[in-house]
Amino acid sequence: MLICTGQRRGMFIQTQSTPNPSSLMFYPGKSVMEIGSADFPNARSAMNSPLAKALYGVDGTTRVFFGSDFITVTKSDEASWDIVKPEIFAAIMDFYSSGDPLFLDSNTSASKDTAIHEDDSETVAMIKELLETRIRPAVQDDGGDIEYRGFDVEAGIVKLRMQGACSGCPSSSVTLKSGIENMLMHYVPEVKGVEQELDSEEDAALTSQMD
C-alpha cells in the first residue's frame, strides 16, 4: 500500500513498505534509473552518487538501492523510521532540486547482468531471459532486485545476489528457494538449484550471527 508523505518545493514523495521491515521504498514521482538498477551495500560504494551519498549521511542508513522509479533505503535495527524517514525525505528532495547528476562518473551505468551474450549457452540464455522477464519484475515490486552471478554447469547451480530490500530480508531465502528456484527448475531442466552469493559485509554479519 502506498502511503502519502511530506510535500516540499512542489515535490510529493510516497512510501511503500516491503517484506523487509527494515526497508522502505520511496517514490519521488519521477524516474530514478532509466535502465536497470543500482545497489549500494555500503557507504564506500555510494561515493559516486550524490543521492546515495546523501542518504548514507542519514544516521541509521545501512543500504541504498535505486530502482526504475523508486529508492529503497534500509535502516539499522536500532534506528526508528519516525526519526529516519523525515531526514530521507529531505535528502531526496534536496537532491532533485539541486540539479546534480545521479552519478558523478558519466560512465557509470546499471550492470546488465542478464544481457544475453553471443558466447552464452542456450541454458544460460534461458536462465537470463527468465530472470529478466519473469523474476526481476516481481522482486523489484518488493523494493529490491537480483543480480545474476553465474551458472555452474556441472552442479546445475544458478548463483544470484539479492539487492536492495531483498538483501538481508528474513524472507529472502524463502523467496530464493521457493519462488526463484522452483521457476528456474521448472522451465530449465538443467537447473538443479539456486545459491545466494553474499557481499563480504553480509557474509561477515551472517557469520557473527551464527557464532
Side-chain angles (χ1 to χ4, degrees):
M1 186 180 75
L2 284 175
I3 304 168
C4 297
T5 57
Q7 190 170 8
R8 192 169 111 202
R9 298 177 192 156
M11 190 172 188
F12 196 58
I13 297 176
Q14 294 178 305
T15 61
Q16 182 176 332
S17 60
T18 75
N20 185 351
S22 296
S23 299
L24 268 181
M25 298 167 73
F26 294 80
Y27 288 84
K30 53 186 68 184
S31 173
V32 180
M33 292 283 291
E34 292 184 10
I35 300 173
S37 60
D39 191 36
F40 305 92
N42 51 53
R44 188 178 65 252
S45 64
M47 289 298 108
N48 189 41
S49 170
L51 175 55
K53 186 177 179 181
L55 291 170
Y56 265 106
V58 176
D59 194 28
T61 297
T62 59
R63 195 179 192 111
V64 175
F65 175 82
F66 296 160
S68 58
D69 61 348
F70 65 87
I71 300 149
T72 299
V73 177
T74 303
K75 68 172 184 62
S76 63
D77 293 337
E78 299 76 32
S80 166
W81 279 123
D82 292 339
I83 297 171
V84 173
K85 201 157 45 167
E87 294 188 40
I88 292 172
F89 290 152
I92 294 173
M93 291 172 181
D94 288 345
F95 168 75
Y96 279 104
S97 64
S98 71
D100 288 339
L102 191 62
F103 295 101
L104 296 176
D105 180 358
S106 59
N107 293 325
T108 301
S109 59
S111 59
K112 294 300 289 179
D113 53 290
T114 50
I116 297 173
H117 305 294
E118 286 183 13
D119 57 349
D120 283 341
S121 67
E122 186 178 341
T123 300
V124 168
M126 286 179 67
I127 292 169
K128 287 182 174 180
E129 185 174 351
L130 279 169
L131 290 173
E132 181 66 29
T133 61
R134 301 289 294 275
I135 296 169
R136 176 163 270 159
V139 177
Q140 288 181 339
D141 281 346
D142 285 339
D145 204 349
I146 47 168
E147 181 183 1
Y148 172 76
R149 299 296 286 264
F151 176 59
D152 184 329
V153 179
E154 290 185 11
I157 300 296
V158 176
K159 296 178 180 178
L160 302 171
R161 188 169 76 90
M162 307 299 279
Q163 298 180 328
C166 300
S167 176
C169 174
S171 62
S172 66
S173 58
V174 178
T175 301
L176 202 69
K177 286 294 180 183
S178 64
I180 299 173
E181 185 176 80
N182 286 349
M183 180 177 285
L184 289 175
M185 288 172 65
H186 176 75
Y187 288 103
V188 188
E190 291 84 356
V191 174
K192 306 302 179 189
V194 172
E195 283 184 3
Q196 181 175 0
E197 287 204 347
L198 301 173
D199 296 324
S200 54
E201 281 100 344
E202 292 171 339
D203 205 5
L206 194 64
T207 302
S208 64
Q209 287 173 9
M210 296 171 67
D211 290 342

